[in-house]
Every structure is written in structure tokens, then in C-alpha cells.
Amino acid sequence: MHATVKVQKTWFQEGHTKSYAFRKEQLLTMKKMLTTFEKPILNALKFDMNKSEYEAYASEIAFLKSEIDQHVKQLKTWMQPTKVKTPLTHTGSKNFIRKEPYGTVLVIAPWNYPVQLALAPVIGAIAAGNTVIIKPSELTPTVSWVLKKMIEQYFPPHFIAVIEGDKEVTQELLEQPLDYIFFTGSVPVGKIIMEKASKQLIPVTLELGGKSPTIVNKDANIDLAAKRIVWGKFTNAGQTCIAPDYLYVHHEVKADLIRAMKKYIQQFYGEDPLESEAYTKIVNQSHFERVASYLDSGTVVVGGALDESKHKIAPTILDQVSWEDQVMKDEIFGPVLPVLTYHELDEVIDKINSRPKPLALYYFGENEIEQQRILNSISFGGGCINDTLYHIINPHLPFGGVGESGMGSYHGKRSFDTFTHEKSITKQTTRFDQNFRYPGSQLGMAVLKKFFG
Ligand code: NAD
């Protein structure tokens, strides 16, 4: 581990990663790697999580290829120094911002989209001219193994390396003299990462989680809301950081909404979702037990079936839930959707604002004034009006949390910016010298007052 960091830092210092031609070539190599390894990736995702081929391709491989295309297309422009204005005090000089890589970046990934979340930050990091160490999640070991194999086949370890392992390995990595840490995972581990990084003042991006609310107002298109909520919640069996965690629905439309959600659950996953090939399993026994325990909260109105041998939990909707129930205390991160009702939107706004700032928020309703009220009065990472999850797929929208749901963001240009240090430079003229700044200048005070008085 120590040797890998050392060799990457030396190689970076030698300047190999900095040219546009090198960066572009590496991005294209990564795209080729994804094509060559498509089958092993899909197989590993099936084995570790029972992800269907369609879901795995769309949410992992296609997502990454689209990010690469976006980077390749724009990289030259993004790399250009940005000229800035020259104030009168700086007459004669040129002022600009150089885009510089940090050096050696550590990417720590979770298990829920184990390929996408390990490689999407790498795309930004190498586009920005860094070397990278990837620490995949140990909870999806087959994917972790495939990641290591394909990176080894396509990239030298002094440029990109995969170091597999659990939290002990991660903690040891955090002791290394890294230049940037990009972490995706849970809030408690995010705090550990930041604490460790602070010892060496290593900059961090923290992509965390939490409870993301979905609000359905009485003027929403209920059928479409139900369809989009069911899709957003039960994709990947609810193991999505920005999945709707719980529902807040206006009391007048609750029965209709639950009825429509039940219809779409059947339409998407069949009469017996536990047997559906399109339905992902829970990642391991301990997460299975954790999510299954939430079925003790409230009343099951849809779903509730379990298959422990396959680690599957049917898409489940819970009614009669209160904030005292365990299901409302933790991030659910599984296919269980508790439903709360409300009478006035103010109650919802006050409640959400009394809790940690969510990573995502979804609002369903046609009235624009109420849409604006939600956007104006609640702080959250990002989200949708009249949809779920869809904001994450737009490469022009930076993705990240706020407050407890994280800090920093990425995707598209923001990925390049995240892994880029902006070095501000004044290039001064030697053709003349303005004396007003020097001690003893007769004009100094007059000039200062003229400019800043
Ligand atoms: P996790 O925090 O348990 O693990 C993430 C990574 O940290 C893994 O690689 C793991 O090996 C490492 N790790 C675990 N414990 C550690 C410790 N004590 N010290 C150092 N490293 C440690 O998260 P997870 O269970 O893999 O993923 C689920 C969580 O991630 C959820 O909270 C979810 O919301 C969040 N998440 C966020 C995003 C996002 O983009 N914001 C995306 C996916 C998942």
C-alpha cells in the first residue's frame, strides 16, 4: 500500500499525467475496458446482488460510458486556463487561473452501485490529471475482484491501482500522504474519513446518505407519481442513496396513491417479486436482517414477503407509521416504504427542517407556488419536482449532499472541477512599475483612497 502510494506520487511528479493527449487517451481506454469487461461486470453484479442485466447495464455501465463521453468531449475546454479581469491596481499584468491536478487521489466506494460509484469519481480524477487508488467495497467481493482484474489489465499501478479490503485496509490507506480523498458511503463512516483526513489536512469530498423524503400533495398527478415513486424506491431493491426513504402524502390522496403504487409494483415485478429476475436482492445477511426488522413498524399494506435463503424482501409499503418507529429513525436503504400523512404543507416543511439535511427530496404537485415554497424553505442536496432519481442522470447537474448528507459534488464538469486545484496567477509586467504600493510613496494614500475610498 505504502509502495503503491509512493510510486504513484513519484510518477505524478514526473509529469506524465498532465498533457491533454494523455488524459484523453486514458478516458478512451477506460471506455474500452468497460466494453471488454461488460460480461464479467454484469455477471459479478448478478452474483453479488442479483442485479438484472438491464438494471446493471443502465445504472452502472451506461452511466459510466456517458460520463466518459461528456469528459472526452469537453476536456480540452475545461483544461484551459481561465483569464480573469485586471483591476486598475494591476494595470500591465495578466491574471489567470490554471487548472492543476492535486496528485494522488483515493476513491473509497460503497457496495450498492459498486462499479459506478468506484469508477465515476475516477473518470473525473484522471480527466483532471491525477493518479488514483480505488478501494472498492468488501461487501460485493466478486465485483471488487473484477474491478481489480480489469484495472490491472488496462492501467499500470503507478497510474491507477485497486486495493481491496475492509475497514482496516481503508484506515491504513487513510494514513498515507494522499492529495485528495473521495468517499462515498454512510454518514458515520464519513465522519471517520473526515477526522482521519484532517490529521494531514487532506481535502475531501463526502458523498453520504440519510433519509430522503418524498412529498405528494393533493394536486399531484397521482397515477404518475405512484409509478415514478415505485420505480425510484424499488430499483436496486431500495439500496440507492437517493431512493425515496419515506413518503409524506396529503391525507386526501393517500388511499389513491397506495392503490396506484400497488398496481405498479405488480406491473414492474409481477405477482411474486421474490421470484422476479428483475428484482435485486439485499446485499448480505446482516443488511437483510436490518431491513427485515423494519417490517415490525406500522402496518404492512403492500408486500411484506421475505425469502431469507435468497436475501430477498418484496417491495413493501407500511402504513400507520410514526416518527417513534425504528423505520423512521434510520436510513432504510432497502425496499420498505413508510407512509406518513399530512394536512398542511407547513407541518412537512417544519418536520423535515428539524432533521439532518436530506441528500435528496422529491415533491409531487402541480401548483408552482407550492413547488417554489418547497424549494425555498428546505435545504437538501438535490432532487426532483414530479419525479424521483432523475436528477442524478443529467450530467449537467452537479450531484452531492449538504450538511449531514455530504460535502462537495461531482458528475460532468463538476467532477473535473472537484479533482482540480485552481491555481491563481498574476503575471506582472516588467515594462514599468507602479510606485504607489511601496513604503514612502507620496501618492500611495491618494491612490488607495481613489480606488477604495
Ligand atoms: P459504508 O460507509 O459502510 O462503507 C463505505 C466504504 O467505507 C467501504 O469501502 C468500506 O470498506 C469503508 N468503511 C466501512 N467502515 C469503515 C471504517 N470504520 N473506516 C474506514 N472505512 C470504512 O457504506 P456502505 O454500506 O458501503 O454504503 C451505504 C451507504 O452509502 C448509505 O448510507 C448510502 O446512503 C451511502 N451512499 C451514498 C451515495 C452518494 O452518492 N451520496 C451513494 C451510494 C451510497
Side-chain angles (χ1 to χ4, degrees), residues 6-200:
K6 196 164 175 227
V7 83
Q8 286 208 358
K9 289 191 81 117
T10 306
W11 200 67
F12 174 79
Q13 282 304 335
E14 288 166 6
H16 303 285
T17 60
K18 293 196 176 164
S19 73
Y20 165 68
F22 175 83
R23 301 186 198 189
K24 185 178 165 195
E25 194 189 323
Q26 303 314 312
L27 289 169
L28 294 173
T29 301
M30 184 161 282
K31 193 168 175 189
K32 196 152 67 171
M33 175 188 87
L34 290 170
T35 304
T36 312
F37 271 81
E38 182 182 308
K39 207 70 202 149
I41 292 172
L42 295 176
N43 287 344
L45 289 165
K46 183 80 187 164
F47 190 78
D48 283 345
M49 298 190 73
N50 195 46
K51 283 202 194 202
S52 72
E53 194 168 306
Y54 173 72
E55 203 172 296
Y57 191 84
S59 64
E60 311 249 11
I61 297 175
F63 184 95
L64 290 168
K65 286 188 169 180
S66 144
E67 271 285 299
I68 292 173
D69 289 346
Q70 170 83 358
H71 277 72
V72 169
K73 208 160 106 199
Q74 302 289 335
L75 184 60
K76 203 171 210 162
T77 315
W78 294 345
M79 284 176 67
Q80 295 307 312
T82 315
K83 285 191 190 132
V84 299
K85 284 185 185 164
T86 299
L88 276 175
T89 42
H90 288 58
T91 300
S93 70
K94 291 195 173 92
N95 296 268
F96 53 92
I97 303 164
R98 278 176 60 93
K99 310 296 169 64
E100 299 225 326
Y102 281 97
T104 297
V105 169
L106 172 63
V107 172
I108 305 170
W111 52 264
N112 59 331
Y113 292 88
V115 181
Q116 189 224 113
L117 295 170
L119 295 183
V122 178
I123 294 168
I126 64 174
N130 299 278
T131 69
V132 187
I133 294 170
I134 306 167
K135 210 303 281 174
S137 172
E138 69 281 20
L139 267 57
T140 37
T142 323
V143 173
S144 174
W145 185 82
V146 170
L147 274 169
K148 190 170 169 62
K149 287 287 156 214
M150 65 183 182
I151 291 289
E152 277 175 359
Q153 191 168 319
Y154 278 84
F155 300 98
H158 51 252
F159 177 45
I160 308 180
V162 175
I163 295 184
E164 293 183 282
D166 57 10
K167 62 181 180 191
E168 275 74 35
V169 171
T170 318
Q171 303 240 347
E172 213 178 315
L173 275 168
L174 295 169
E175 305 288 335
Q176 306 302 316
L178 301 156
D179 298 294
Y180 201 97
I181 298 170
F182 190 102
F183 172 79
T184 306
S186 61
V187 173
V189 179
K191 289 179 184 171
I192 296 172
I193 303 293
M194 194 163 167
E195 193 184 337
K196 289 259 182 196
S198 74
K199 301 276 191 297
Q200 299 185 73

Side-chain angles (χ1 to χ4, degrees), residues 151-420:
I151 291 289
E152 277 175 359
Q153 191 168 319
Y154 278 84
F155 300 98
H158 51 252
F159 177 45
I160 308 180
V162 175
I163 295 184
E164 293 183 282
D166 57 10
K167 62 181 180 191
E168 275 74 35
V169 171
T170 318
Q171 303 240 347
E172 213 178 315
L173 275 168
L174 295 169
E175 305 288 335
Q176 306 302 316
L178 301 156
D179 298 294
Y180 201 97
I181 298 170
F182 190 102
F183 172 79
T184 306
S186 61
V187 173
V189 179
K191 289 179 184 171
I192 296 172
I193 303 293
M194 194 163 167
E195 193 184 337
K196 289 259 182 196
S198 74
K199 301 276 191 297
Q200 299 185 73
L201 288 178
I202 301 171
V204 291
T205 294
L206 300 177
E207 294 282 346
L208 309 178
K211 287 184 90 62
S212 297
T214 296
I215 306 162
V216 182
N217 211 336
K218 61 181 173 184
D219 65 334
N221 177 332
I222 295 299
D223 193 70
L224 203 48
K227 193 178 185 184
R228 291 173 177 172
I229 292 167
V230 165
W231 173 72
K233 177 71 187 185
F234 300 111
T235 289
N236 210 28
Q239 301 166 111
T240 304
C241 56
I242 51 166
D245 186 278
Y246 61 95
L247 263 185
Y248 246 131
V249 54
H250 192 278
H251 69 107
E252 287 175 20
V253 292
K254 178 170 113 178
D256 289 347
L257 183 73
I258 292 178
R259 206 174 305 118
M261 288 197 295
K262 186 174 181 182
K263 176 183 79 179
Y264 284 112
I265 289 172
Q266 278 174 3
Q267 188 174 314
F268 295 168
Y269 303 106
E271 282 298 327
D272 185 0
L274 298 182
E275 294 301 323
S276 167
E277 273 307 299
Y279 192 55
T280 311
K281 66 173 180 146
I282 306 300
V283 71
N284 64 13
Q285 181 68 20
S286 73
H287 278 283
F288 175 84
E289 286 170 14
R290 180 184 62 76
V291 179
S293 75
Y294 296 138
L295 302 187
D296 298 337
S297 302
T299 311
V300 173
V301 286
V302 179
L306 308 167
D307 184 337
E308 189 163 358
S309 67
K310 291 184 184 157
H311 289 161
K312 279 190 163 185
I313 299 176
T316 297
I317 299 176
L318 299 177
D319 197 2
Q320 312 296 332
V321 174
S322 84
W323 282 98
E324 308 314 314
D325 291 312
Q326 197 57 35
V327 74
M328 293 309 295
K329 294 203 162 87
D330 312 326
E331 177 184 3
I332 298 168
F333 219 58
V336 176
L337 182 62
V339 181
L340 303 168
T341 46
Y342 73 89
H343 287 71
E344 297 296 330
L345 212 45
D346 284 338
E347 301 164 32
V348 178
I349 293 170
D350 289 349
K351 186 66 201 177
I352 296 173
N353 281 336
S354 72
R355 301 184 37 80
K357 295 176 181 180
L359 179 60
L361 184 145
Y362 308 111
Y363 176 79
F364 289 84
E366 296 296 319
N367 183 307
E368 297 233 356
I369 293 171
E370 299 208 315
Q371 293 174 0
Q372 285 304 322
R373 203 161 127 223
I374 292 292
L375 296 183
N376 282 333
S377 51
I378 304 174
S379 175
F380 56 95
C384 307
I385 303 280
N386 290 323
D387 210 339
T388 64
L389 312 192
Y390 233 52
H391 62 301
I392 202 173
I393 314 168
N394 182 342
H396 307 292
L397 288 174
F399 172 70
V402 58
E404 261 204 38
S405 55
M407 59 183 67
S409 55
Y410 73 134
H411 290 177
K413 181 169 188 296
R414 188 57 61 84
S415 288
F416 176 87
D417 291 343
T418 287
F419 293 105
T420 295

